């Protein structure tokens, strides 16, 4: 092979890589369409034809066949014989009855709610401000507050996204000696329910907006811990409930800019009793880019365009804590399958 041939091969591969990235939006929408149509639910564990699935999914058979082949190309299905498909292990995660289902996540993260602001990413990078208000006329959470059905769907997607962390956090932190965990911005209580189930001596409080709390009671009842749980509706930028000795914030700080985070952490600091702790559960970016964490860098941009928040490094978290009157006491990665870290802080 001549050097020119090698260069051409490298350029062709580079162009193919760029094309795959450009087509990423289309791939995401194919996955979202599969979730909305219930393709994987209708497919189950069987091999089924496009015609059979079209009846169950309420779709035109020829168009559904085209979607199924795209999904097979993405690794969610296999085409066992012409026009007949079976789910792969990846595809099964889009089933509603899968214990690790991401079906709601797939629907929400391909909704206009999430993707329209990305069309103006360049504007957000130029200004440093979210573009969601330009597109929808409201801030992200204000928009959700006015749409109860969409808010419930968003809360459900957050619950699905929290399951891997909920599975490991109860055994990854020493809850001994604690009596009340206040889950600040805890939504439907998925994480808190897992902690209470694993630690029968604890009580718990979920603090969120009334819409955010809408499914929390049902979550606690399903977990069998409702008698040790209280709801505390309110605005965590104004104050957080007193009476806890452990204040938990999971995937909350990344929604907000530094100023808002310092306010929220300061409210937690004000509520801390002697010996109390603040426990932050978030991704922690390394000082320089790690390609295997590509999803977190995309999440960082999602925070930029939709909310004005960001993902952060250890130094970033330490600065926020210090400004709020807290001291970082430990930072440890959670066990797999969670990709988050646990950040503990005490009053200074």
């Amino acid at each position: 092979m001549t050097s020119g041939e090698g260069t051409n091969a490298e350029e062709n591969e580079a162009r193919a890589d760029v094309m795959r990235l450009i087509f990423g939006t289309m791939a995401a929408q194919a996955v979202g369409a599969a979730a909305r149509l219930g393709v994987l639910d209708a497919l189950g564990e069987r091999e089924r034809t496009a015609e059979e699935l079209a009846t169950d999914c309420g779709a035109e058979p020829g168009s559904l066949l085209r979607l199924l082949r795209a999904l097979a190309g993405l690794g969610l299905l296999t085409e066992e014989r012409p026009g007949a498909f079976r789910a792969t292990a990846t595809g099964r995660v889009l089933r509603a009855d899968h214990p690790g289902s991401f079906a709601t996540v797939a629907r929400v993260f391909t909704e206009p709610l999430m993707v329209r602001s990305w069309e103006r990413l360049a504007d957000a990078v130029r200004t440093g401000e979210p573009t969601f208000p330009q597109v929808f006329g409201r801030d992200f959470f204000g928009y959700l507050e006015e749409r109860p059905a969409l808010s419930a769907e968003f809360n459900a997607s957050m619950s699905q996204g929290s399951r891997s962390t909920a599975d490991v956090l109860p055994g990854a932190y020493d809850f001994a000696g604690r009596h009340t965990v206040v889950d600040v911005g805890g939504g439907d209580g998925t994480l808190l329910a897992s902690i209470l189930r694993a630690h029968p001596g604890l009580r718990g409080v979920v603090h969120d907006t009334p819409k955010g709390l809408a499914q929390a009671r049902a979550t606690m009842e399903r977990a069998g811990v409702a008698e040790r749980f209280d709801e505390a509706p309110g605005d965590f930028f104004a104050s957080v409930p007193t009476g806890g000795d452990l204040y938990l914030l999971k995937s909350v700080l990344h929604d907000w800019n530094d100023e808002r985070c310092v306010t929220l952490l300061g409210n937690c600091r004000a509520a801390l009793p002697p010996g109390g702790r603040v426990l932050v559960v978030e991704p922690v970016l390394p000082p320089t880019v790690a390609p295997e964490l590509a999803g977190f860098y995309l999440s960082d941009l999602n925070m930029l365009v939709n909310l004005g928040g960001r993902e952060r490094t250890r130094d970033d978290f330490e600065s926020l804590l210090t400004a709020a009157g807290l001291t970082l006491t430990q930072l440890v990665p959670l066990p797999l399958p969670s990709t988050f870290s646990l950040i503990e802080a005490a009053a200074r």
Side-chain angles (χ1 to χ4, degrees), residues 108 111-114 116 132-133 135-156 209-212 214-215:
V108 168
E111 284 276 356
L113 170 76
M114 285 292 183
R116 287 281 310 281
F132 189 97
V135 176
F136 292 97
R138 285 291 320 259
D139 65 278
F140 184 87
F141 288 114
Y143 185 86
L144 277 182
E145 192 77 12
E146 296 168 349
R147 292 160 177 82
L150 187 57
S151 179
E153 183 87 337
F154 176 78
N155 289 344
T209 64
K211 289 287 195 308
Q215 290 83 38

PDB file of all heavy atoms in Angstrom, residues 108 111-114 116 132-133 135-156 209-212 214-215:
ATOM      1  N   VAL A 108     -38.889  10.672  26.374  1.00  0.00           N
ATOM      2  CA  VAL A 108     -38.693  12.046  26.861  1.00  0.00           C
ATOM      3  C   VAL A 108     -37.500  12.716  26.182  1.00  0.00           C
ATOM      4  O   VAL A 108     -37.568  13.880  25.779  1.00  0.00           O
ATOM      5  CB  VAL A 108     -38.527  12.055  28.395  1.00  0.00           C
ATOM      6  CG1 VAL A 108     -38.038  13.418  28.889  1.00  0.00           C
ATOM      7  CG2 VAL A 108     -39.853  11.695  29.063  1.00  0.00           C
ATOM      8  N   GLU A 111     -38.284  13.984  22.780  1.00  0.00           N
ATOM      9  CA  GLU A 111     -39.400  14.938  22.702  1.00  0.00           C
ATOM     10  C   GLU A 111     -38.875  16.310  22.299  1.00  0.00           C
ATOM     11  O   GLU A 111     -37.722  16.659  22.602  1.00  0.00           O
ATOM     12  CB  GLU A 111     -40.077  15.064  24.074  1.00  0.00           C
ATOM     13  CG  GLU A 111     -40.968  13.912  24.469  1.00  0.00           C
ATOM     14  CD  GLU A 111     -42.366  14.048  23.891  1.00  0.00           C
ATOM     15  OE1 GLU A 111     -42.653  15.082  23.241  1.00  0.00           O
ATOM     16  OE2 GLU A 111     -43.162  13.127  24.076  1.00  0.00           O
ATOM     17  N   PRO A 112     -39.735  17.136  21.670  1.00  0.00           N
ATOM     18  CA  PRO A 112     -39.341  18.533  21.429  1.00  0.00           C
ATOM     19  C   PRO A 112     -38.856  19.222  22.697  1.00  0.00           C
ATOM     20  O   PRO A 112     -37.958  20.069  22.644  1.00  0.00           O
ATOM     21  CB  PRO A 112     -40.636  19.166  20.907  1.00  0.00           C
ATOM     22  CG  PRO A 112     -41.363  18.041  20.239  1.00  0.00           C
ATOM     23  CD  PRO A 112     -41.052  16.824  21.074  1.00  0.00           C
ATOM     24  N   LEU A 113     -39.428  18.861  23.855  1.00  0.00           N
ATOM     25  CA  LEU A 113     -39.005  19.406  25.146  1.00  0.00           C
ATOM     26  C   LEU A 113     -37.487  19.382  25.295  1.00  0.00           C
ATOM     27  O   LEU A 113     -36.888  20.325  25.813  1.00  0.00           O
ATOM     28  CB  LEU A 113     -39.651  18.585  26.268  1.00  0.00           C
ATOM     29  CG  LEU A 113     -39.145  18.836  27.697  1.00  0.00           C
ATOM     30  CD1 LEU A 113     -39.727  20.137  28.221  1.00  0.00           C
ATOM     31  CD2 LEU A 113     -39.482  17.667  28.616  1.00  0.00           C
ATOM     32  N   MET A 114     -36.858  18.301  24.847  1.00  0.00           N
ATOM     33  CA  MET A 114     -35.418  18.135  25.014  1.00  0.00           C
ATOM     34  C   MET A 114     -34.618  18.542  23.788  1.00  0.00           C
ATOM     35  O   MET A 114     -33.494  19.031  23.924  1.00  0.00           O
ATOM     36  CB  MET A 114     -35.100  16.670  25.350  1.00  0.00           C
ATOM     37  CG  MET A 114     -35.450  16.276  26.763  1.00  0.00           C
ATOM     38  SD  MET A 114     -34.373  17.097  27.958  1.00  0.00           S
ATOM     39  CE  MET A 114     -34.955  16.373  29.478  1.00  0.00           C
ATOM     40  N   ARG A 116     -35.497  20.521  20.849  1.00  0.00           N
ATOM     41  CA  ARG A 116     -35.645  21.743  20.065  1.00  0.00           C
ATOM     42  C   ARG A 116     -34.564  22.768  20.392  1.00  0.00           C
ATOM     43  O   ARG A 116     -34.063  23.464  19.495  1.00  0.00           O
ATOM     44  CB  ARG A 116     -37.030  22.360  20.312  1.00  0.00           C
ATOM     45  CG  ARG A 116     -38.204  21.637  19.667  1.00  0.00           C
ATOM     46  CD  ARG A 116     -38.331  21.949  18.188  1.00  0.00           C
ATOM     47  NE  ARG A 116     -38.289  23.371  17.918  1.00  0.00           N
ATOM     48  CZ  ARG A 116     -39.336  24.205  18.085  1.00  0.00           C
ATOM     49  NH1 ARG A 116     -40.497  23.732  18.540  1.00  0.00           N
ATOM     50  NH2 ARG A 116     -39.216  25.469  17.804  1.00  0.00           N
ATOM     51  N   PHE A 132     -33.551  27.341  25.654  1.00  0.00           N
ATOM     52  CA  PHE A 132     -34.912  26.843  25.876  1.00  0.00           C
ATOM     53  C   PHE A 132     -35.926  27.983  25.964  1.00  0.00           C
ATOM     54  O   PHE A 132     -36.992  27.911  25.325  1.00  0.00           O
ATOM     55  CB  PHE A 132     -34.953  25.978  27.144  1.00  0.00           C
ATOM     56  CG  PHE A 132     -36.249  25.250  27.355  1.00  0.00           C
ATOM     57  CD1 PHE A 132     -36.399  23.928  26.957  1.00  0.00           C
ATOM     58  CD2 PHE A 132     -37.334  25.879  27.964  1.00  0.00           C
ATOM     59  CE1 PHE A 132     -37.608  23.253  27.146  1.00  0.00           C
ATOM     60  CE2 PHE A 132     -38.546  25.211  28.152  1.00  0.00           C
ATOM     61  CZ  PHE A 132     -38.674  23.898  27.742  1.00  0.00           C
ATOM     62  N   PRO A 133     -35.664  29.056  26.730  1.00  0.00           N
ATOM     63  CA  PRO A 133     -36.661  30.135  26.799  1.00  0.00           C
ATOM     64  C   PRO A 133     -36.934  30.802  25.450  1.00  0.00           C
ATOM     65  O   PRO A 133     -38.058  31.252  25.198  1.00  0.00           O
ATOM     66  CB  PRO A 133     -36.024  31.131  27.779  1.00  0.00           C
ATOM     67  CG  PRO A 133     -35.098  30.314  28.607  1.00  0.00           C
ATOM     68  CD  PRO A 133     -34.540  29.297  27.650  1.00  0.00           C
ATOM     69  N   VAL A 135     -37.023  29.263  22.599  1.00  0.00           N
ATOM     70  CA  VAL A 135     -37.839  28.342  21.804  1.00  0.00           C
ATOM     71  C   VAL A 135     -39.249  28.206  22.371  1.00  0.00           C
ATOM     72  O   VAL A 135     -40.241  28.199  21.634  1.00  0.00           O
ATOM     73  CB  VAL A 135     -37.152  26.955  21.728  1.00  0.00           C
ATOM     74  CG1 VAL A 135     -38.035  25.950  20.988  1.00  0.00           C
ATOM     75  CG2 VAL A 135     -35.790  27.068  21.052  1.00  0.00           C
ATOM     76  N   PHE A 136     -39.346  28.104  23.704  1.00  0.00           N
ATOM     77  CA  PHE A 136     -40.622  27.763  24.329  1.00  0.00           C
ATOM     78  C   PHE A 136     -41.266  28.918  25.102  1.00  0.00           C
ATOM     79  O   PHE A 136     -42.401  28.785  25.570  1.00  0.00           O
ATOM     80  CB  PHE A 136     -40.434  26.577  25.277  1.00  0.00           C
ATOM     81  CG  PHE A 136     -40.100  25.294  24.567  1.00  0.00           C
ATOM     82  CD1 PHE A 136     -38.783  24.869  24.449  1.00  0.00           C
ATOM     83  CD2 PHE A 136     -41.099  24.511  24.002  1.00  0.00           C
ATOM     84  CE1 PHE A 136     -38.471  23.689  23.790  1.00  0.00           C
ATOM     85  CE2 PHE A 136     -40.795  23.330  23.344  1.00  0.00           C
ATOM     86  CZ  PHE A 136     -39.484  22.913  23.244  1.00  0.00           C
ATOM     87  N   GLY A 137     -40.563  30.030  25.255  1.00  0.00           N
ATOM     88  CA  GLY A 137     -41.155  31.174  25.928  1.00  0.00           C
ATOM     89  C   GLY A 137     -41.192  31.088  27.438  1.00  0.00           C
ATOM     90  O   GLY A 137     -41.764  31.964  28.099  1.00  0.00           O
ATOM     91  N   ARG A 138     -40.622  30.041  27.998  1.00  0.00           N
ATOM     92  CA  ARG A 138     -40.577  29.831  29.447  1.00  0.00           C
ATOM     93  C   ARG A 138     -39.291  29.112  29.779  1.00  0.00           C
ATOM     94  O   ARG A 138     -38.681  28.470  28.934  1.00  0.00           O
ATOM     95  CB  ARG A 138     -41.740  28.917  29.916  1.00  0.00           C
ATOM     96  CG  ARG A 138     -43.139  29.509  29.969  1.00  0.00           C
ATOM     97  CD  ARG A 138     -43.323  30.558  31.056  1.00  0.00           C
ATOM     98  NE  ARG A 138     -42.689  30.274  32.320  1.00  0.00           N
ATOM     99  CZ  ARG A 138     -43.311  29.800  33.388  1.00  0.00           C
ATOM    100  NH1 ARG A 138     -44.596  29.511  33.327  1.00  0.00           N
ATOM    101  NH2 ARG A 138     -42.664  29.640  34.514  1.00  0.00           N
ATOM    102  N   ASP A 139     -38.883  29.166  31.061  1.00  0.00           N
ATOM    103  CA  ASP A 139     -37.767  28.325  31.482  1.00  0.00           C
ATOM    104  C   ASP A 139     -38.231  26.869  31.530  1.00  0.00           C
ATOM    105  O   ASP A 139     -39.433  26.568  31.543  1.00  0.00           O
ATOM    106  CB  ASP A 139     -37.258  28.757  32.855  1.00  0.00           C
ATOM    107  CG  ASP A 139     -38.290  28.533  33.947  1.00  0.00           C
ATOM    108  OD1 ASP A 139     -39.190  29.388  34.092  1.00  0.00           O
ATOM    109  OD2 ASP A 139     -38.234  27.495  34.621  1.00  0.00           O
ATOM    110  N   PHE A 140     -37.286  25.948  31.571  1.00  0.00           N
ATOM    111  CA  PHE A 140     -37.576  24.515  31.434  1.00  0.00           C
ATOM    112  C   PHE A 140     -38.581  24.030  32.477  1.00  0.00           C
ATOM    113  O   PHE A 140     -39.611  23.431  32.147  1.00  0.00           O
ATOM    114  CB  PHE A 140     -36.263  23.727  31.549  1.00  0.00           C
ATOM    115  CG  PHE A 140     -36.404  22.252  31.331  1.00  0.00           C
ATOM    116  CD1 PHE A 140     -36.329  21.713  30.063  1.00  0.00           C
ATOM    117  CD2 PHE A 140     -36.596  21.388  32.404  1.00  0.00           C
ATOM    118  CE1 PHE A 140     -36.449  20.335  29.853  1.00  0.00           C
ATOM    119  CE2 PHE A 140     -36.718  20.020  32.215  1.00  0.00           C
ATOM    120  CZ  PHE A 140     -36.635  19.500  30.927  1.00  0.00           C
ATOM    121  N   PHE A 141     -38.291  24.275  33.757  1.00  0.00           N
ATOM    122  CA  PHE A 141     -39.158  23.738  34.802  1.00  0.00           C
ATOM    123  C   PHE A 141     -40.491  24.480  34.869  1.00  0.00           C
ATOM    124  O   PHE A 141     -41.516  23.902  35.222  1.00  0.00           O
ATOM    125  CB  PHE A 141     -38.436  23.743  36.152  1.00  0.00           C
ATOM    126  CG  PHE A 141     -37.358  22.705  36.246  1.00  0.00           C
ATOM    127  CD1 PHE A 141     -36.025  23.069  36.348  1.00  0.00           C
ATOM    128  CD2 PHE A 141     -37.668  21.355  36.208  1.00  0.00           C
ATOM    129  CE1 PHE A 141     -35.027  22.108  36.417  1.00  0.00           C
ATOM    130  CE2 PHE A 141     -36.670  20.381  36.275  1.00  0.00           C
ATOM    131  CZ  PHE A 141     -35.354  20.764  36.382  1.00  0.00           C
ATOM    132  N   GLY A 142     -40.513  25.768  34.508  1.00  0.00           N
ATOM    133  CA  GLY A 142     -41.774  26.486  34.417  1.00  0.00           C
ATOM    134  C   GLY A 142     -42.665  25.914  33.331  1.00  0.00           C
ATOM    135  O   GLY A 142     -43.889  25.803  33.504  1.00  0.00           O
ATOM    136  N   TYR A 143     -42.064  25.540  32.214  1.00  0.00           N
ATOM    137  CA  TYR A 143     -42.801  24.917  31.118  1.00  0.00           C
ATOM    138  C   TYR A 143     -43.415  23.582  31.562  1.00  0.00           C
ATOM    139  O   TYR A 143     -44.583  23.289  31.291  1.00  0.00           O
ATOM    140  CB  TYR A 143     -41.856  24.709  29.936  1.00  0.00           C
ATOM    141  CG  TYR A 143     -42.493  24.168  28.677  1.00  0.00           C
ATOM    142  CD1 TYR A 143     -43.088  25.029  27.765  1.00  0.00           C
ATOM    143  CD2 TYR A 143     -42.472  22.800  28.385  1.00  0.00           C
ATOM    144  CE1 TYR A 143     -43.662  24.542  26.585  1.00  0.00           C
ATOM    145  CE2 TYR A 143     -43.041  22.304  27.226  1.00  0.00           C
ATOM    146  CZ  TYR A 143     -43.628  23.183  26.335  1.00  0.00           C
ATOM    147  OH  TYR A 143     -44.206  22.698  25.183  1.00  0.00           O
ATOM    148  N   LEU A 144     -42.614  22.776  32.271  1.00  0.00           N
ATOM    149  CA  LEU A 144     -43.125  21.501  32.771  1.00  0.00           C
ATOM    150  C   LEU A 144     -44.248  21.709  33.783  1.00  0.00           C
ATOM    151  O   LEU A 144     -45.236  20.957  33.790  1.00  0.00           O
ATOM    152  CB  LEU A 144     -42.003  20.708  33.443  1.00  0.00           C
ATOM    153  CG  LEU A 144     -41.073  19.880  32.566  1.00  0.00           C
ATOM    154  CD1 LEU A 144     -40.062  19.149  33.449  1.00  0.00           C
ATOM    155  CD2 LEU A 144     -41.827  18.891  31.703  1.00  0.00           C
ATOM    156  N   GLU A 145     -44.108  22.699  34.630  1.00  0.00           N
ATOM    157  CA  GLU A 145     -45.089  22.954  35.685  1.00  0.00           C
ATOM    158  C   GLU A 145     -46.479  23.187  35.098  1.00  0.00           C
ATOM    159  O   GLU A 145     -47.495  22.837  35.705  1.00  0.00           O
ATOM    160  CB  GLU A 145     -44.648  24.176  36.506  1.00  0.00           C
ATOM    161  CG  GLU A 145     -45.413  24.390  37.787  1.00  0.00           C
ATOM    162  CD  GLU A 145     -44.994  23.452  38.917  1.00  0.00           C
ATOM    163  OE1 GLU A 145     -43.963  22.781  38.791  1.00  0.00           O
ATOM    164  OE2 GLU A 145     -45.730  23.412  39.910  1.00  0.00           O
ATOM    165  N   GLU A 146     -46.538  23.751  33.908  1.00  0.00           N
ATOM    166  CA  GLU A 146     -47.817  24.055  33.271  1.00  0.00           C
ATOM    167  C   GLU A 146     -48.394  22.867  32.502  1.00  0.00           C
ATOM    168  O   GLU A 146     -49.498  22.967  31.966  1.00  0.00           O
ATOM    169  CB  GLU A 146     -47.633  25.238  32.312  1.00  0.00           C
ATOM    170  CG  GLU A 146     -47.247  26.539  33.012  1.00  0.00           C
ATOM    171  CD  GLU A 146     -46.801  27.616  32.042  1.00  0.00           C
ATOM    172  OE1 GLU A 146     -46.597  27.291  30.838  1.00  0.00           O
ATOM    173  OE2 GLU A 146     -46.643  28.769  32.475  1.00  0.00           O
ATOM    174  N   ARG A 147     -47.671  21.767  32.441  1.00  0.00           N
ATOM    175  CA  ARG A 147     -48.090  20.606  31.643  1.00  0.00           C
ATOM    176  C   ARG A 147     -47.972  19.338  32.493  1.00  0.00           C
ATOM    177  O   ARG A 147     -46.973  18.616  32.430  1.00  0.00           O
ATOM    178  CB  ARG A 147     -47.229  20.508  30.378  1.00  0.00           C
ATOM    179  CG  ARG A 147     -47.496  21.652  29.411  1.00  0.00           C
ATOM    180  CD  ARG A 147     -46.377  21.871  28.423  1.00  0.00           C
ATOM    181  NE  ARG A 147     -46.736  22.927  27.479  1.00  0.00           N
ATOM    182  CZ  ARG A 147     -46.614  24.236  27.756  1.00  0.00           C
ATOM    183  NH1 ARG A 147     -46.127  24.626  28.930  1.00  0.00           N
ATOM    184  NH2 ARG A 147     -46.982  25.137  26.856  1.00  0.00           N
ATOM    185  N   PRO A 148     -48.990  19.039  33.291  1.00  0.00           N
ATOM    186  CA  PRO A 148     -48.910  17.925  34.245  1.00  0.00           C
ATOM    187  C   PRO A 148     -48.572  16.576  33.609  1.00  0.00           C
ATOM    188  O   PRO A 148     -47.791  15.810  34.177  1.00  0.00           O
ATOM    189  CB  PRO A 148     -50.298  17.908  34.883  1.00  0.00           C
ATOM    190  CG  PRO A 148     -50.804  19.303  34.728  1.00  0.00           C
ATOM    191  CD  PRO A 148     -50.242  19.792  33.428  1.00  0.00           C
ATOM    192  N   ALA A 149     -49.144  16.282  32.449  1.00  0.00           N
ATOM    193  CA  ALA A 149     -48.878  14.983  31.820  1.00  0.00           C
ATOM    194  C   ALA A 149     -47.412  14.873  31.405  1.00  0.00           C
ATOM    195  O   ALA A 149     -46.763  13.834  31.620  1.00  0.00           O
ATOM    196  CB  ALA A 149     -49.787  14.778  30.613  1.00  0.00           C
ATOM    197  N   LEU A 150     -46.887  15.931  30.810  1.00  0.00           N
ATOM    198  CA  LEU A 150     -45.477  15.928  30.403  1.00  0.00           C
ATOM    199  C   LEU A 150     -44.567  15.917  31.621  1.00  0.00           C
ATOM    200  O   LEU A 150     -43.526  15.246  31.631  1.00  0.00           O
ATOM    201  CB  LEU A 150     -45.196  17.156  29.536  1.00  0.00           C
ATOM    202  CG  LEU A 150     -43.807  17.238  28.888  1.00  0.00           C
ATOM    203  CD1 LEU A 150     -43.522  16.020  28.032  1.00  0.00           C
ATOM    204  CD2 LEU A 150     -43.702  18.519  28.053  1.00  0.00           C
ATOM    205  N   SER A 151     -44.978  16.622  32.681  1.00  0.00           N
ATOM    206  CA  SER A 151     -44.203  16.624  33.922  1.00  0.00           C
ATOM    207  C   SER A 151     -44.116  15.223  34.511  1.00  0.00           C
ATOM    208  O   SER A 151     -43.054  14.779  34.960  1.00  0.00           O
ATOM    209  CB  SER A 151     -44.829  17.585  34.938  1.00  0.00           C
ATOM    210  OG  SER A 151     -44.109  17.583  36.149  1.00  0.00           O
ATOM    211  N   ALA A 152     -45.249  14.488  34.500  1.00  0.00           N
ATOM    212  CA  ALA A 152     -45.255  13.119  35.016  1.00  0.00           C
ATOM    213  C   ALA A 152     -44.353  12.216  34.182  1.00  0.00           C
ATOM    214  O   ALA A 152     -43.629  11.368  34.719  1.00  0.00           O
ATOM    215  CB  ALA A 152     -46.677  12.579  35.033  1.00  0.00           C
ATOM    216  N   GLU A 153     -44.376  12.399  32.863  1.00  0.00           N
ATOM    217  CA  GLU A 153     -43.516  11.609  31.983  1.00  0.00           C
ATOM    218  C   GLU A 153     -42.044  11.933  32.245  1.00  0.00           C
ATOM    219  O   GLU A 153     -41.189  11.035  32.297  1.00  0.00           O
ATOM    220  CB  GLU A 153     -43.877  11.902  30.524  1.00  0.00           C
ATOM    221  CG  GLU A 153     -43.106  11.102  29.494  1.00  0.00           C
ATOM    222  CD  GLU A 153     -43.721   9.759  29.166  1.00  0.00           C
ATOM    223  OE1 GLU A 153     -44.477   9.208  29.986  1.00  0.00           O
ATOM    224  OE2 GLU A 153     -43.433   9.237  28.077  1.00  0.00           O
ATOM    225  N   PHE A 154     -41.730  13.205  32.436  1.00  0.00           N
ATOM    226  CA  PHE A 154     -40.355  13.609  32.746  1.00  0.00           C
ATOM    227  C   PHE A 154     -39.909  13.003  34.068  1.00  0.00           C
ATOM    228  O   PHE A 154     -38.808  12.457  34.170  1.00  0.00           O
ATOM    229  CB  PHE A 154     -40.258  15.132  32.798  1.00  0.00           C
ATOM    230  CG  PHE A 154     -38.904  15.641  33.212  1.00  0.00           C
ATOM    231  CD1 PHE A 154     -37.859  15.673  32.313  1.00  0.00           C
ATOM    232  CD2 PHE A 154     -38.675  16.079  34.512  1.00  0.00           C
ATOM    233  CE1 PHE A 154     -36.602  16.144  32.689  1.00  0.00           C
ATOM    234  CE2 PHE A 154     -37.431  16.542  34.904  1.00  0.00           C
ATOM    235  CZ  PHE A 154     -36.395  16.577  33.990  1.00  0.00           C
ATOM    236  N   ASN A 155     -40.774  13.065  35.095  1.00  0.00           N
ATOM    237  CA  ASN A 155     -40.434  12.480  36.393  1.00  0.00           C
ATOM    238  C   ASN A 155     -40.173  10.983  36.263  1.00  0.00           C
ATOM    239  O   ASN A 155     -39.261  10.438  36.894  1.00  0.00           O
ATOM    240  CB  ASN A 155     -41.556  12.726  37.401  1.00  0.00           C
ATOM    241  CG  ASN A 155     -41.644  14.176  37.828  1.00  0.00           C
ATOM    242  OD1 ASN A 155     -40.721  14.956  37.615  1.00  0.00           O
ATOM    243  ND2 ASN A 155     -42.766  14.562  38.406  1.00  0.00           N
ATOM    244  N   ALA A 156     -40.983  10.307  35.448  1.00  0.00           N
ATOM    245  CA  ALA A 156     -40.798   8.862  35.245  1.00  0.00           C
ATOM    246  C   ALA A 156     -39.469   8.576  34.560  1.00  0.00           C
ATOM    247  O   ALA A 156     -38.786   7.591  34.882  1.00  0.00           O
ATOM    248  CB  ALA A 156     -41.955   8.293  34.427  1.00  0.00           C
ATOM    249  N   THR A 209     -41.112  20.357  44.362  1.00  0.00           N
ATOM    250  CA  THR A 209     -42.335  21.092  44.038  1.00  0.00           C
ATOM    251  C   THR A 209     -43.525  20.140  44.128  1.00  0.00           C
ATOM    252  O   THR A 209     -43.356  18.908  44.060  1.00  0.00           O
ATOM    253  CB  THR A 209     -42.264  21.660  42.623  1.00  0.00           C
ATOM    254  OG1 THR A 209     -42.208  20.569  41.689  1.00  0.00           O
ATOM    255  CG2 THR A 209     -41.029  22.543  42.441  1.00  0.00           C
ATOM    256  N   PRO A 210     -44.730  20.653  44.259  1.00  0.00           N
ATOM    257  CA  PRO A 210     -45.897  19.762  44.279  1.00  0.00           C
ATOM    258  C   PRO A 210     -45.983  18.856  43.052  1.00  0.00           C
ATOM    259  O   PRO A 210     -46.295  17.671  43.175  1.00  0.00           O
ATOM    260  CB  PRO A 210     -47.079  20.745  44.344  1.00  0.00           C
ATOM    261  CG  PRO A 210     -46.518  21.943  45.058  1.00  0.00           C
ATOM    262  CD  PRO A 210     -45.099  22.055  44.574  1.00  0.00           C
ATOM    263  N   LYS A 211     -45.678  19.384  41.871  1.00  0.00           N
ATOM    264  CA  LYS A 211     -45.694  18.548  40.658  1.00  0.00           C
ATOM    265  C   LYS A 211     -44.591  17.491  40.724  1.00  0.00           C
ATOM    266  O   LYS A 211     -44.795  16.346  40.331  1.00  0.00           O
ATOM    267  CB  LYS A 211     -45.501  19.414  39.420  1.00  0.00           C
ATOM    268  CG  LYS A 211     -46.687  20.303  39.078  1.00  0.00           C
ATOM    269  CD  LYS A 211     -47.833  19.514  38.514  1.00  0.00           C
ATOM    270  CE  LYS A 211     -48.864  20.418  37.841  1.00  0.00           C
ATOM    271  NZ  LYS A 211     -49.347  21.539  38.651  1.00  0.00           N
ATOM    272  N   GLY A 212     -43.416  17.879  41.217  1.00  0.00           N
ATOM    273  CA  GLY A 212     -42.316  16.929  41.326  1.00  0.00           C
ATOM    274  C   GLY A 212     -42.614  15.793  42.276  1.00  0.00           C
ATOM    275  O   GLY A 212     -42.162  14.663  42.080  1.00  0.00           O
ATOM    276  N   ALA A 214     -45.557  14.470  42.827  1.00  0.00           N
ATOM    277  CA  ALA A 214     -46.852  13.854  42.526  1.00  0.00           C
ATOM    278  C   ALA A 214     -46.851  12.329  42.615  1.00  0.00           C
ATOM    279  O   ALA A 214     -47.853  11.729  43.011  1.00  0.00           O
ATOM    280  CB  ALA A 214     -47.323  14.300  41.141  1.00  0.00           C
ATOM    281  N   GLN A 215     -45.740  11.682  42.257  1.00  0.00           N
ATOM    282  CA  GLN A 215     -45.703  10.219  42.268  1.00  0.00           C
ATOM    283  C   GLN A 215     -44.946   9.643  43.476  1.00  0.00           C
ATOM    284  O   GLN A 215     -44.774   8.426  43.580  1.00  0.00           O
ATOM    285  CB  GLN A 215     -45.051   9.692  40.983  1.00  0.00           C
ATOM    286  CG  GLN A 215     -45.883   9.878  39.722  1.00  0.00           C
ATOM    287  CD  GLN A 215     -45.723  11.257  39.120  1.00  0.00           C
ATOM    288  OE1 GLN A 215     -44.635  11.821  39.117  1.00  0.00           O
ATOM    289  NE2 GLN A 215     -46.801  11.820  38.610  1.00  0.00           N
TER     290      GLN A 215
END
